Amino acid sequence: MMSGVLGITDIWTYVLGTVAIVLLPGPNSLFVLSTAAKRGVRAGYRAAGGVFLGDAALMTLSAAGVASLLKAYPPLFLVVKYAGAAYLGWVGLTMLRGAWRRWRDRNDPATPRLIDAAEPAELRSPFRRALVISLLNPKAILFFVSFFIQFVDPGYAWPALSFLLLGLIAQVTSALYLTALIFAGTFLAAQFRQRRRLAAGATTGVAAVFLGFSVKLATASV
């Protein structure tokens, strides 16, 4: 029976749940989309690579029991939570600054993009930026461990194999979704090329969503 493979109790329920979860909007997917719109397919995949690595690290930490540690020591959770909220807020404010520049220079003949290219040097690596966004999300750690545990047979002799297969399914699902977003981002870039005011408005909208993620994370509880 397929559901019993490698100690996974109900693999098809897990697959369906993973698809539903991956499709939920979040800072990772939004950052990949905006990066592709701003810099093209290659940069979009670099950002996606940061997401993959960050998710893999969170899955590994969750399997190792770090989420339980965060639950057991609330001050540690608060440190991670506020660090993540501050970083997401910083990303949002940076995008707002880009939106202002886009609006101010809307009559400039330079090719517009969804996000203004004038960024601090430390933000110009989409891989590193996506990795930090992924890692500074304590709620993701708590979610991964609570979700994974439901599908791992506690009596299975090699639970690491169960977590490995569950993680692989999640990463493949994420890769397919982020690929769709990357190509959607390049389509958006083409649409915004002749619509400078709309590009500035879109940048403001993306920035507002990141600020919303920051507030939501700052108010999250264990």
Side-chain angles (χ1 to χ4, degrees):
M1 185 175 178
M2 188 65 177
S3 61
V5 172
L6 295 179
I8 299 175
T9 58
D10 193 342
I11 193 169
W12 294 115
T13 298
Y14 172 76
V15 169
L16 292 175
T18 299
V19 170
I21 292 159
V22 168
L23 291 178
L24 291 174
N28 293 346
S29 57
L30 184 61
F31 178 70
V32 171
L33 174 64
S34 62
T35 298
K38 177 175 58 176
R39 300 177 187 173
V41 172
R42 181 176 296 181
Y45 274 112
R46 286 202 296 269
V51 173
F52 298 148
L53 180 58
D55 285 349
L58 291 181
M59 293 175 193
T60 302
L61 292 172
S62 297
V66 171
S68 299
L69 182 64
L70 291 175
K71 290 180 180 180
Y73 297 96
L76 180 60
F77 175 82
L78 290 176
V79 170
V80 178
K81 179 179 75 169
Y82 288 126
Y87 187 78
L88 291 178
W90 182 42
V91 170
L93 291 174
T94 300
M95 290 181 174
L96 279 178
R97 186 174 66 179
W100 166 247
R101 286 195 177 119
R102 176 61 59 206
W103 178 261
R104 184 189 59 192
D105 301 331
R106 59 189 180 277
N107 295 320
D108 189 280
T111 300
R113 296 298 180 107
L114 181 60
I115 307 297
D116 188 77
E119 297 174 330
E122 63 270 19
L123 290 183
R124 290 176 186 166
S125 170
F127 177 86
R128 182 172 64 247
R129 194 172 176 185
L131 177 61
V132 174
I133 289 174
S134 297
L135 290 176
L136 290 178
N137 192 347
K139 286 186 70 68
I141 298 175
L142 299 179
F143 169 79
F144 275 128
V145 72
S146 63
F147 190 65
F148 280 6
I149 285 177
Q150 298 179 43
F151 300 95
V152 176
D153 183 357
Y156 187 63
W158 299 283
L161 293 178
S162 304
F163 282 104
L164 181 61
L165 180 55
L166 293 175
L168 180 62
I169 292 171
Q171 292 286 49
V172 170
T173 304
S174 178
L176 293 174
Y177 178 55
L178 292 181
T179 294
L181 290 181
I182 287 169
F183 285 97
T186 57
F187 172 79
L188 286 176
Q191 297 303 306
F192 283 116
R193 187 165 289 118
Q194 300 302 324
R195 299 173 177 85
R196 290 175 171 81
R197 293 183 180 181
L198 188 58
T203 304
T204 302
V206 172
V209 172
F210 266 91
L211 291 174
F213 285 138
S214 175
V215 173
K216 183 177 180 180
L217 180 55
T219 57
S221 62
V222 178

